[in-house]
Amino acid sequence: MGIEPINPVALQLGPFAIRWYGIIIGLGIALALIVAVREGDKRGLPKDTFTDLLIWAIPISIICARLYYVLFEWGFYSQHPEKIIKIWEGGIAIHGALIGAVATAVVFCRKKGISFWKLADIAAPSIILGQAIGRWGNFINQEAHGEAVSRAFLENLHLPQFIIDQMYINGEYYHPTFLYESVWNIIGFLILLALRKSSLRRGELFLSYIIWYSIGRFFVEGLRTDSLMLDSLRMAQVISLALILIAVAIWFYRRYTGMAKQKYKDQSS
C-alpha cells in the first residue's frame, strides 16, 4: 500500500532541521498567549504579565517534562545517559510540564504580588487550547497513538483522508488517540470560555480545567500504547485520578472556608 507519512521536517537549513512538531507547539503557545493577554487586559493585569511569565515557564516546563519522562524510563537512560539531553529524539511528558509551569507561576505570582488563583483562572482556557493544538505535533510524528484498528474503523469515524493515512504505521492502522484528546481539549476550551461568564469563585475556573482535562486524559490514556508505567499502573492515569481528587478537595475546602468566614462576618455585624 503506497501510503507515505507526512515528513516531520518542515524545513531543512543545512544541518539544521525545523520540525513540524516544534512549529505546532510554538503555534499553540502563541495562540494561548494571545487569549491569555486579552483576558488579562480585561481583568487589570499588566500587558507584559504573561510574556514575563513565559520567559521562565517555557524552559522550566520543558526541563520538568523531560525529567519526568526520564525518571519513568530510567531503565533505558541509566544505560544511555548521553541521551538524556537529546530531547529532539522524543520523550517529554505533559504532566511534568504542567508541574513545572504551575510551580513557576506560584513563585512568579509571589514575586509580582499577583493572586495565583486570579492568574490561573485567566490562563486556564489558554492552557487547554495549547494542549489541543500541541497534540497535532504527535500526529505529525505518528506517536501517542492507540492499539491497532482496521481501516474500516477509522473510515466509520468519518475522519479526513489525511488523518487515516497518517495513522497507517508500519503496515497497520492505529487509534488516533491524539485526535480524541485534542477534540476533548477543544470542547474543554469552549466550556471554560463559557464558565468565565458564570458565578464561579476565584480559582474555580482553573480547578474546572484540571478536572475536565484529567477526566479526558484518564480515558484516552487507557487506549495508548506508549504509556509511562509504574509496575502495572499507567502513570498518566494515576496522576489524572490524583489531580481530580485534589482539585475537588480544594474546591470544596475553599467553598467551605469561604462560607464559614462569611457566616462569622454576618454574626459579628
Side-chain angles (χ1 to χ4, degrees):
M1 193 176 293
I3 298 177
E4 290 293 330
I6 298 172
N7 188 344
V9 177
L11 183 62
Q12 188 75 42
L13 299 174
F16 301 102
I18 300 176
R19 297 181 174 271
W20 283 113
Y21 185 88
I23 293 174
I24 291 171
I25 295 296
L27 176 63
I29 292 173
L31 291 178
L33 178 61
I34 291 171
V35 173
V37 169
R38 286 182 176 178
E39 183 64 17
D41 286 345
K42 296 178 183 177
R43 302 279 293 275
L45 288 183
K47 288 184 178 294
D48 59 353
T49 297
F50 283 101
T51 52
D52 288 348
L53 173 59
L54 286 181
I55 290 173
W56 295 98
I58 291 175
I60 291 174
S61 295
I62 292 173
I63 292 171
C64 289
R66 181 60 169 176
L67 291 177
Y68 185 101
Y69 183 88
V70 169
L71 175 64
F72 288 102
E73 293 289 341
W74 186 242
F76 172 80
Y77 288 104
S78 63
Q79 301 299 317
H80 305 280
E82 75 283 357
K83 289 184 174 291
I84 292 177
I85 64 171
K86 295 183 178 180
I87 195 170
W88 54 90
E89 293 183 357
I92 58 175
I94 186 62
H95 280 130
L98 290 175
I99 291 170
V102 170
T104 303
V106 169
V107 175
F108 177 85
C109 288
R110 288 180 178 176
K111 294 287 187 180
K112 295 288 187 177
I114 301 171
S115 165
F116 167 77
W117 292 114
K118 178 179 179 178
L119 184 139
D121 279 347
I122 294 171
S126 295
I127 297 171
I128 203 166
L129 175 63
Q131 289 174 304
I133 295 170
R135 279 302 175 199
W136 287 86
N138 298 132
F139 165 71
I140 296 294
N141 287 350
Q142 294 185 308
E143 60 190 9
H145 57 71
E147 300 282 351
V149 296
S150 67
R151 181 182 178 88
F153 174 86
L154 297 178
E155 290 175 342
N156 288 335
L157 295 178
H158 303 290
L159 300 176
Q161 190 62 46
F162 76 95
I163 293 180
I164 294 176
D165 289 347
Q166 190 69 357
M167 287 295 98
Y168 186 72
I169 305 167
N170 298 325
E172 290 189 284
Y173 290 96
Y174 290 90
H175 263 300
T177 48
F178 86 92
L179 180 62
Y180 305 156
E181 187 171 331
S182 181
V183 170
W184 179 264
N185 288 344
I186 290 172
I187 294 171
F189 169 69
L190 297 175
I191 290 174
L192 292 178
L193 288 184
L195 287 176
R196 274 180 171 172
K197 302 175 183 179
S198 69
S199 58
L200 290 178
R201 298 184 180 183
R202 179 174 287 186
E204 291 179 351
L205 192 69
F206 180 67
L207 295 174
S208 298
Y209 151 71
I210 292 176
I211 295 168
W212 178 267
Y213 171 71
S214 297
I215 290 173
R217 181 58 190 272
F218 177 86
F219 287 105
V220 171
E221 190 67 25
L223 298 173
R224 286 177 55 169
T225 59
D226 60 345
S227 299
L228 295 175
M229 306 295 292
L230 182 62
D231 294 328
S232 61
L233 300 175
R234 296 175 186 258
M235 278 309 302
Q237 289 188 315
V238 173
I239 296 297
S240 293
L241 284 177
L243 288 174
I244 292 170
L245 293 174
I246 291 171
V248 170
I250 292 174
W251 188 311
F252 280 101
Y253 173 78
R254 297 179 78 241
R255 281 270 178 165
Y256 174 78
T257 55
M259 289 188 294
K261 289 179 181 178
Q262 185 61 47
K263 183 178 180 180
Y264 176 77
K265 288 181 180 179
D266 292 342
Q267 290 176 343
S268 301
S269 59

